[in-house]
Amino acid sequence: MASLFGIGLLLLSSLAWSGSVLIMGDSLSAAYGIPANKGWVTLLEQRLAQSHPDYDVINVSISGETTHGGITRLPAALDQYQPELVVLELGANDGLRGAPLQLIENNLNLLVNQARAAGAAVLLLEMQIPPNYGPRYSEGFTALFSRVAEQQQVPLVPFFMATVVLQPELMQADGLHPTAKAQPALLDQVWPALLDLLQPAG
């Protein structure tokens, strides 16, 4: 009996824990305009391979995605990949299209609820839009991310592109999308909060 018990422990110890991080985002996470292997999500995958090799990164981001699109796609992704952590990088396209702020906020709340219902932790990335939309709308847009994070008690990464958006050499010609050179800075903006949600490497 003792030998069987010992064998059982050995088998259990050989089954390494593994988890996954699901990125649900738009063009900023889909490496728009740059080689896919230069995007911040690929850089995240490479960094985790060194620091937390038990984690996989699944990127379901697509250019042009909105919060509504995320709501329709997230349940299937949660069911398929069963991630431990969902990173939500959505809302910018809603804002650029002038969607009602309350609708964007409601959709983000629903996305958080969907992820949590599947047993995943959530990391929310704050987005901003250009000031030419008017201060009432643009400031209200930024504020809704803090509100969602506070209501849902989820960590919030301050403006995802804060360190690159005002540096023309780090932005593509459209002024909206970061260059390949900017991608490490995007990852560095996300990394501390993301690291706090990962199980210790082991």
Side-chain angles (χ1 to χ4, degrees), residues 26-51:
D26 52 33
S27 56
L28 298 176
S29 297
Y32 175 87
I34 63 174
N37 64 353
K38 300 293 185 181
W40 79 268
V41 178
T42 298
L43 299 181
L44 169 63
E45 186 174 10
Q46 295 169 357
R47 186 176 292 186
L48 286 177
Q50 297 297 318
S51 67

Side-chain angles (χ1 to χ4, degrees), residues 22 27-28 66 70 150 159 180:
L22 181 75
S27 56
L28 298 176
T66 62
E150 183 177 357
F159 182 34

Side-chain angles (χ1 to χ4, degrees), residues 29-186:
S29 297
Y32 175 87
I34 63 174
N37 64 353
K38 300 293 185 181
W40 79 268
V41 178
T42 298
L43 299 181
L44 169 63
E45 186 174 10
Q46 295 169 357
R47 186 176 292 186
L48 286 177
Q50 297 297 318
S51 67
H52 291 74
D54 295 334
Y55 279 93
D56 295 321
V57 177
I58 299 111
N59 191 6
V60 295
S61 305
I62 58 175
S63 293
E65 187 63 288
T66 62
T67 55
H68 176 73
I71 289 168
T72 63
R73 292 196 303 119
L74 183 56
L78 292 168
D79 184 61
Q80 179 177 356
Y81 299 110
Q82 300 181 14
E84 277 63 44
L85 171 61
V86 174
V87 178
L88 293 177
E89 182 272 301
L90 288 174
N93 287 312
D94 303 66
L96 292 174
R97 297 175 186 181
L101 296 179
Q102 188 61 58
L103 176 62
I104 302 172
E105 184 172 340
N106 291 346
N107 286 350
L108 286 172
N109 275 305
L110 182 51
L111 284 162
V112 174
N113 290 338
Q114 286 178 334
R116 279 185 161 164
V122 177
L123 178 61
L124 181 63
L125 307 193
E126 180 186 273
M127 306 305 298
Q128 294 184 12
I129 58 173
N132 56 299
Y133 283 76
R136 182 174 180 180
Y137 186 85
S138 59
E139 292 172 11
F141 175 81
T142 301
L144 68 85
F145 288 88
S146 297
R147 215 161 35 243
V148 170
E150 183 177 357
Q151 293 169 355
Q152 296 282 358
Q153 291 297 292
V154 297
L156 177 70
V157 173
F159 182 34
F160 179 47
M161 299 201 302
T163 60
V164 305
V165 71
L166 296 180
Q167 300 186 57
E169 70 277 11
L170 296 180
M171 298 297 292
Q172 297 181 42
D174 61 10
L176 296 173
H177 296 93
T179 63
K181 187 178 179 181
Q183 301 301 307
L186 298 183

